[in-house]
Amino acid sequence: MTTISDDLMAHDVILDPHSYYHEIRETDPVHWNERWGGWVLTKYDDVVQVLRDSTHFSSDRMAFLDKELTNEQRDAYAPIFKVLSKWIVFRDPPMHTKLRLLLNPHFTPRAIERYRPMVRGIVKRLLDKLEGKGQMELLNDFAYQVPMSVLLELIGAPLVDREKVKEWSEQLGAFFFIRADEPRRREIACEGINSLVEYLRPIVAQRREHPGVDLISLLLGAEETGDITEDDVIATCVLLVFGGHETTMNLIANGTLALINHPDQWDLLKQNPGIIENAIEELLRFDGSVKATVRWVTEDVTVGGKLIKKGDRVLVSLSAANRDPGKFQNPDVLDLTRDPNPHVAFANGIHVCLGAALARMELQEVFTGITQRLPCPVLETENLEYHATVVNRALESLPISWKVG
Ligand code: HEM
């Protein structure tokens, strides 16, 4: 039997997680990773079992992390914990259910349609500017602007603040980067989160004085029931900005790269814009921007025939599930017409992505825009690098060029 490397942050694993997770799935699909100190799940059925079982598998990351910290670390992390412990994504029922019921109506496919003209306009304006240049660094010149503009609109903040909100959101991201050295990581993340909270406070106060039918006013209205406080409202806005920005931006980059590597699929979409909905599902499955999520075990439970003990943690690999040959035919083939496509790029179960319909709409507009306006680009580097994280699939940059005229 071959031994599996337990280094989830090894450079070759970060570059090509799919080959690594294929190897684990084939040899030991419910794998104890000694180095990470938890289980790694790579089979579609096991991943879905865990995501759907919020009784045995808790999302309360802060409660479990808190147990591992010294008093000194706990104090240093306090500003981050104060906000993150209120995030719906780290809550279990019953609080999760309360928050989710409040938020859901704003994120249905119907509700988000009102943002489509805005997204189409942004994509058009960006491409008007870029088309004749023949080149761009896709992440900064194009990809980040679409989701960030929509998120600012969603929370009622001015679009001119895009750059600084992006910067704070990225600073907060340092908290989730396992590689960064600890004190510096903490400092940067604290700076980011404090800036975001201070930025949002007056926006929330203004909405309290002049309530409307927007998301913040609706959340503030729920204060009367005693279920949520102003801090919950601010924390939720931070999560929406943070969770909705990088994920969508990274998917725009991963999807563009996948199409550059499969020019026949670029042409297929260009010739048949009507396949856009299936195409987006396939880009999400093929190289999703959230590789994995983590759960903590509340009671002994069996997964894939193995006993998993109370207190253990589990890395639920969404990318591995999405390439499981037991679920998807030819999983390593990019097929924009794939149907059905029950991928788990947005997870599954009670925490399934709240912003999925919004992300889908943005991605549809982006990929229709770029395939209609540009010829299939070429890559302007031979050395693509990804941020070294277990959770995000995030290119550091994506320089591309295309023929003009
Ligand atoms: C391509 C883009 C996106 C991807 C791949 C993605 C992926 C995910 C995944 C995998 C989860 C589940 C996390 C878990 O179970 O631990 C999640 C949850 C969540 N996402 Fe997204 N997301 C995207 C875009 C967005 C957008 C645009 C928003 C908001 C505007 C958003 C807001 C959220 C929220 C609030 C949750 C927590 C839901 C809950 O706990 O009930 N996401 N997302």
Side-chain angles (χ1 to χ4, degrees):
M1 194 173 130
T2 48
T3 28
I4 302 167
S5 157
D6 276 350
D7 187 358
L8 298 170
M9 305 290 277
H11 189 240
D12 54 339
V13 176
I14 295 295
L15 277 185
D16 177 15
H18 305 296
S19 302
Y20 175 72
Y21 285 115
H22 272 322
E23 199 187 324
I24 304 188
R25 193 188 314 99
E26 277 157 26
T27 44
D28 190 19
V30 180
H31 175 68
W32 175 260
N33 183 311
E34 190 62 41
R35 189 170 174 149
W36 182 68
W39 298 91
V40 177
L41 304 187
T42 44
K43 266 202 163 153
Y44 184 90
D45 288 345
D46 296 340
V47 162
V48 170
Q49 177 196 331
V50 170
L51 293 174
R52 287 189 180 162
D53 180 359
S54 57
T55 306
H56 289 95
F57 298 94
S58 167
S59 289
D60 194 344
R61 185 184 183 122
M62 296 305 133
F64 284 86
L65 206 61
D66 190 62
K67 286 184 203 151
E68 293 168 14
L69 297 179
T70 62
N71 284 341
E72 196 191 330
Q73 286 171 326
R74 201 167 288 124
D75 287 346
Y77 273 115
I80 304 177
F81 272 46
K82 190 168 173 251
V83 177
L84 268 60
S85 60
K86 295 183 180 301
W87 280 8
I88 182 173
V89 70
F90 299 144
R91 306 298 284 264
D92 291 331
M95 192 58 200
H96 174 270
T97 320
K98 285 181 183 164
L99 280 171
R100 187 81 199 209
L101 286 173
L102 273 174
L103 290 165
N104 273 342
H106 276 266
F107 292 91
T108 61
R110 222 174 128 184
I112 59 88
E113 273 306 311
R114 83 188 106 134
Y115 300 110
R116 194 183 287 272
M118 175 192 176
V119 173
R120 192 165 291 176
I122 297 169
V123 171
K124 181 179 177 308
R125 276 194 301 281
L126 286 169
L127 289 174
D128 285 347
K129 217 168 60 187
L130 292 162
E131 193 177 13
K133 290 195 173 159
Q135 59 172 18
M136 66 168 142
E137 193 289 290
L138 184 111
L139 282 159
N140 270 311
D141 295 340
F142 180 74
Y144 103 83
Q145 313 215 24
V146 179
M148 192 46 98
S149 306
V150 179
L151 291 163
L152 291 183
E153 176 80 12
L154 193 84
I155 57 169
L159 286 191
V160 286
D161 293 342
R162 234 170 10 203
E163 275 290 334
K164 61 183 185 194
V165 176
K166 171 182 182 259
E167 207 169 292
W168 297 328
S169 170
E170 279 171 6
Q171 283 180 316
L172 169 56
F175 176 72
F176 298 95
F177 278 52
I178 293 168
R179 184 179 59 172
D181 83 292
E182 260 229 307
R184 188 66 199 125
R185 168 162 67 116
R186 205 167 48 212
E187 260 172 47
I188 296 172
C190 282
E191 275 167 38
I193 208 150
N194 287 335
S195 306
L196 282 170
V197 169
E198 288 322 307
Y199 175 76
L200 287 162
R201 213 174 277 290
I203 295 179
V204 171
Q206 196 267 349
R207 219 55 53 73
R208 188 186 289 289
E209 276 199 7
H210 306 285
V213 288
D214 58 283
L215 178 67
I216 294 181
S217 302
L218 184 117
L219 290 172
L220 285 172
E223 275 180 325
E224 285 165 21
T225 61
D227 286 338
I228 78 170
T229 64
E230 180 167 315
D231 283 348
D232 289 309
V233 177
I234 292 177
T236 301
C237 292
V238 174
L239 170 62
L240 292 177
V241 169
F242 179 76
H245 148 62
E246 275 206 45
T247 47
T248 312
M249 174 181 88
N250 291 333
L251 205 281
I252 295 172
N254 298 352
T256 304
L257 179 61
L259 290 173
I260 290 175
N261 288 333
H262 298 82
D264 60 315
Q265 297 294 298
W266 178 286
D267 290 341
L268 185 73
L269 181 56
K270 195 179 185 78
Q271 305 306 329
N272 305 279
I275 66 166
I276 189 66
E277 288 184 16
N278 281 357
I280 297 308
E281 298 312 304
E282 179 67 346
L283 294 175
L284 283 157
R285 181 197 72 83
F286 190 75
D287 205 11
S289 45
V290 180
K291 287 188 288 191
T293 180
V294 182
R295 295 289 187 266
W296 287 264
V297 180
T298 57
E299 284 169 50
D300 291 4
V301 59
T302 304
V303 180
K306 282 200 185 162
L307 179 68
I308 303 211
K309 291 265 188 199
K310 178 178 174 175
D312 286 354
R313 60 176 180 168
V314 180
L315 186 78
V316 185
S317 175
L318 307 173
S319 298
N322 285 337
R323 298 277 191 119
D324 182 350
K327 188 68 186 178
F328 298 96
Q329 247 182 21
N330 302 322
D332 296 324
V333 171
L334 180 76
D335 171 8
L336 297 189
T337 60
R338 191 182 287 273
D339 189 22
N341 192 344
H343 67 77
V344 286
F346 290 122
N348 200 303
I350 64 167
H351 290 281
V352 68
C353 179
L354 176 75
L358 176 58
R360 284 184 163 113
M361 180 273 284
E362 291 177 35
L363 295 166
Q364 287 164 11
E365 292 299 321
V366 162
F367 282 97
T368 300
I370 57 170
T371 52
Q372 289 305 307
R373 296 275 299 268
L374 307 181
C376 187
V378 291
L379 212 48
E380 282 299 309
T381 174
E382 282 171 12
N383 299 310
L384 281 176
E385 291 293 341
Y386 289 82
H387 290 287
T389 98
V390 175
V391 168
N392 295 332
R393 176 77 165 149
L395 279 159
E396 287 184 2
S397 72
L398 187 61
I400 58 173
S401 67
W402 57 91
K403 280 209 183 85
V404 179

